[in-house]
Amino acid sequence: MNKQDTIGDFIYEDWRLIETQFNPEQINVRETIFTIGNGYLGTRGCFEEGYTRGLPATFIHGVYDDVPVVYTELANCPDWLPLVVTINGDRFRLDQGEVLQYKRQLDLRHGLLSRWVRWRSPKNKIIDIHFERFTSLADEHILGQRCHLTSYDGDALIEFQASINGYAENQGFNHWERIDQGKTDQGIWLQSRTRSTRIEIGMAAKMTISGTEASVQINTVPGYPSISTTFLVTAQQTVTVENIVTVFTSRETKTPVIAAHEKLVDIADYTTLFTDNQKAWDQVWQTSDIVIEGDATAAFAVRYNLFQLLIAAPRHDDQVSIAAKTLSGFGYRGHIFWDTEIFILPFFTYNQPDVARNLLSYRYHTIAGARRKAAHYGFKGAMYPWESADTGDEVTPRWSLPDDYYGEDVRIWCRDREIHNSADIAYAVCHYWQATGDDEWMRDYGAEMILDTAIFWGSRVEFNPQYDRYEIRDVIGADEYHEFVHNNTFTNRMVQWHLEQALQVCAWLQQNFPERAAELTQKLQLTPEIESYWQDIINKIWILYDPSTGLIEQFEGFFQLKDINLADYEPRHQSIQAILGMEGTNHTQVLKQPDVLMLLYLMRTSAEFPYDQKVLATNWDYYAPRTDITYGSSLAPAIHGILASDLGKSTIAYKRFMQAAMVDLEDHRGNTQDGIHGASAGGVWQAVVFGFGGIQFTENGPVSNPHLPPGWSRLKFQLHWRGEWYKFDLTGEKEGTRGDNQSPDIRGFIFDLDGVLTDTAEYHYLAWQKLADEEGLPFNREANEALRGISRRASLMLIIGDMTYSEDQIQEMMARKNRYYVELIKNITPKDLLPGAIALLDELRQAGIKIAIGSASKNAQSVIEKLGIADQVDAIADGYSVQQPKPAPDLFLYAAHQLGLNPQQCVVVEDAGAGVEAALAGGMWAIGIGPPERVGKAHIVLPNLAGVTWKDLQSQLSKKV
């Protein structure tokens, strides 16, 4: 059901994030929030025209380059966004002139970012500008931009320029050296190369213009090739400029510029490309969507977090992985942490296993770097880096540089001491294998990773002969507020678990793939003695667990540290470490993020030691109050939410879940400008599915023991398990039904505008009549009836009949008719709504039915605003939306896509025969308004909407099933 919630200047809907006003102070945060991508690249939501303090960035997976201090980082690639619009000599910018109207919208369903601005220039000229952009999910090398420009109040000279900016920087550091650039019949191109890693990039672009006659010029300023055009527009005339960009790097092809050229030559038009993108997104959401009913904010927030994971997911590349800040910001320099395997991977494992396989294969392809790290520290096997990039070598900065000129550099010990991630990766490998049954991948890749990291653990543990036990000393646990601790329980138990799995993998290989077992035995120098040694470690590693109480000590001596009551430090707006200092937290029982509780969560999946309900309750009561849950780490809230659900603490579970779900949308931690919190996004999915959905995995498949939050009336999702899809609809209803009756599953209404909601048909007739009189063409009201529901061009063709006109004359007549029409509708008000229209719209909204406008008119947006029903409408499909007019179904299918619905879930209300035909051709329900001889093919025929109710329509449609 379509619901919306408004918080601040954001409106959250089922599939759309709407920003209602521009806030310069939030510029960098919103750039992150409005990021789009396609799994190959991500582009921050920066303004096309630029803005002071803006941080424009496009990151491409795997395009790393060296940088001082932090070793390597994802290079900010040449910027494909710059569009310069100049009106009568004034350059459009939001920091000059006057913004009269503003709206920005992110359509999660299809990855479309749009912005509408009505702007008064310094010379007092008003223009409407509608930007939109997408990065194609159907073809990851294609990027699209479109800009509609409408002069609001008279003639205007518009200059328009689209560019590729080769001078993109990583906050002051430019990774690119220009190789070449130029122009072609298609447009422009740029070739650059990273300074150290020598990765080449090729980008090409072309521009098309519609709505006016205009030529284009090419400017090849070094490093900044541009396409520009100049044209004159009259009042209410709309000109559309489309810019298509192609991009390749030498990671995919030896000749990226040639590849970009060839792609651009063969490319389709913007509308076709976006339609292909829509279809690709529809396919992804078909398995990945989560439906929540009864909580509009949560419903949107979950989809938003899933969207951020999906646009960062490499679908065609197993040499890369998802960074902690995805592809959305400069934070952590594009480095990969354990966040990916533990927090992000489960979503893909159970929804898109091919992507999960790619992410894990990245770790296999970088295992040489892990081996180099182990050797550097004097250990054997593979020791995965805390922060990883392209080679798998350790890229965690050794020092953190202070903001204070006189501050001391801070040593970052995670690179040396936080070692649990080697076990975390093994954990992810095993759970992927368990979920998919992908024996081939496990044989060829996963087994070697598990075994070589097990060899590392064998060389890292220390035997304490005094107590006849194995220990792991001088580590940093998952908590991270405590450095150089001994026997961190999370680390020790994960190592024990890891070695258990390694022995099982050895046995599995020997039984099922003896040749591969022999190969790895020789390559890794495995011996029976090593396996016996692993078993001895399993038996004797020290786990700080008190079976009499169930309490687990986080590490040796933790209980002797100074206790803390976090409530004593409220209110605060920074982490407890910022307040106490690093040494202060080192000596205090305060946690940055779950450690013991994180261990219990990971063991929860198969109820392995030390997880059980009593142990969980005991350790929750001890550790949850000591966790800096608000300002410590974004990894914490989702995990706390799941465990609180297990304990029946529904209020705190929901609070922690929403804290995670809104971490970026509401910038809870004040650092969203650095990029999306990818681990938190993955944790949100786990909180919904494993927490509220109560999913557990058995040999017979996943089962649910749900505990939905108060107010949630429905939770619906599906999981992929061992080759089959399991669908969960936690209302208890059968899949695809909505109750006991046999009514069709109607979730959306698509209204034609003219003749249905208002009578602008009369204005169209008067405008056509004036044009016909001027041209000496025969035309009357009877002839006007044939124009109902069809496009402006098709209408003109019917009027001119056999008369011969040039294309220029046809374009001029259409523009002239539109000017007459726009002048006539200037005085439309809500009083012009037809009887029954507003009552039906209100009733549908209250019933949770989505509403779209499906009109061939290119002035639909303006008419809707004048009628005062803009807030009642969820989507608009108009003359700009599709190429094929009614009776083709394209317009209504586009509207259904915008609503996020299947055609059979939509009802079209039309007053034209062509419109009814279009609805039926699209597989939709049709209600005809008017005489049966015109709309008689519809499922229901009504004279008008007066007195019509949703209940009556439901009843009549049920009889048509």
Side-chain angles (χ1 to χ4, degrees), residues 702-850:
V703 297
S704 173
N705 179 27
H707 18 75
L708 304 189
W712 287 24
S713 57
R714 190 184 199 193
L715 173 60
K716 182 180 175 185
F717 57 87
Q718 53 186 319
L719 302 173
H720 191 268
W721 175 262
R722 298 180 182 174
E724 295 186 21
W725 284 101
Y726 292 80
K727 298 182 179 180
F728 293 88
D729 190 338
L730 300 184
T731 61
E733 299 173 356
K734 295 181 180 178
E735 175 68 20
T737 65
R738 300 278 295 175
D740 297 330
N741 60 43
Q742 297 300 311
S743 298
D745 183 21
I746 303 300
R747 305 198 186 186
F749 264 62
I750 304 171
F751 289 91
D752 185 23
L753 198 54
D754 300 338
V756 175
L757 296 179
T758 189
D759 196 9
T760 60
E762 177 67 14
Y763 300 126
H764 281 293
Y765 163 69
L766 292 174
W768 283 124
Q769 186 67 69
K770 183 175 182 180
L771 176 72
D773 291 345
E774 290 172 346
E775 295 294 324
L777 297 170
F779 186 70
N780 54 31
R781 289 187 180 277
E782 184 178 350
N784 186 63
E785 286 297 302
L787 309 186
R788 286 182 178 271
I790 64 175
S791 68
R792 189 185 306 167
R793 186 183 185 91
S795 296
L796 180 59
M797 293 300 101
L798 288 176
I799 293 173
I800 65 178
D802 296 331
M803 298 290 290
T804 302
Y805 290 90
S806 69
E807 180 60 28
D808 286 345
Q809 290 173 313
I810 289 172
Q811 290 290 337
E812 187 282 325
M813 284 192 285
M814 287 195 297
R816 195 182 344 151
K817 181 268 175 181
N818 191 55
R819 289 200 302 274
Y820 299 154
Y821 173 74
V822 169
E823 189 65 30
L824 288 166
I825 65 172
K826 279 185 176 179
N827 296 321
I828 285 181
T829 72
K831 294 181 180 179
D832 291 295
L833 283 164
L834 292 174
I838 194 65
L840 181 58
L841 290 174
D842 286 342
E843 185 183 2
L844 291 172
R845 294 295 288 184
Q846 291 173 9
I849 302 296
K850 299 180 180 182

Side-chain angles (χ1 to χ4, degrees), residues 355-408:
V355 173
R357 184 172 58 244
N358 284 345
L359 296 174
L360 287 171
S361 295
Y362 159 81
R363 291 295 192 179
Y364 178 82
H365 294 307
T366 58
I367 198 170
R371 287 167 176 154
R372 287 190 290 269
K373 179 177 180 180
H376 171 78
Y377 285 101
F379 302 122
K380 298 178 180 179
M383 177 187 185
Y384 277 103
W386 182 242
E387 298 182 29
S388 182
D390 49 349
T391 66
D393 290 285
E394 182 62 74
V395 292
T396 305
R398 190 178 299 274
W399 298 95
S400 176
L401 305 183
D403 295 328
D404 181 357
Y405 288 125
Y406 304 103
E408 294 185 3

Side-chain angles (χ1 to χ4, degrees), residues 430-457:
C430 290
H431 281 80
Y432 165 79
W433 183 33
Q434 179 191 42
T436 62
D438 191 348
D439 290 349
E440 182 178 339
W441 182 88
M442 189 64 177
R443 176 197 66 199
D444 296 339
Y445 302 99
E448 185 172 347
M449 296 162 64
I450 288 175
L451 296 177
D452 213 16
T453 45
I455 290 171
F456 160 68
W457 290 126

Side-chain angles (χ1 to χ4, degrees), residues 84-92 119 127 149 156-161 230-231:
V84 175
V85 180
T86 305
I87 303 95
N88 290 350
D90 286 331
R91 179 171 174 175
F92 165 69
W119 183 70
I127 188 169
L149 301 153
L157 181 66
I158 296 180
E159 300 171 61
F160 190 96
Q161 176 180 288
T230 303
F231 47 84

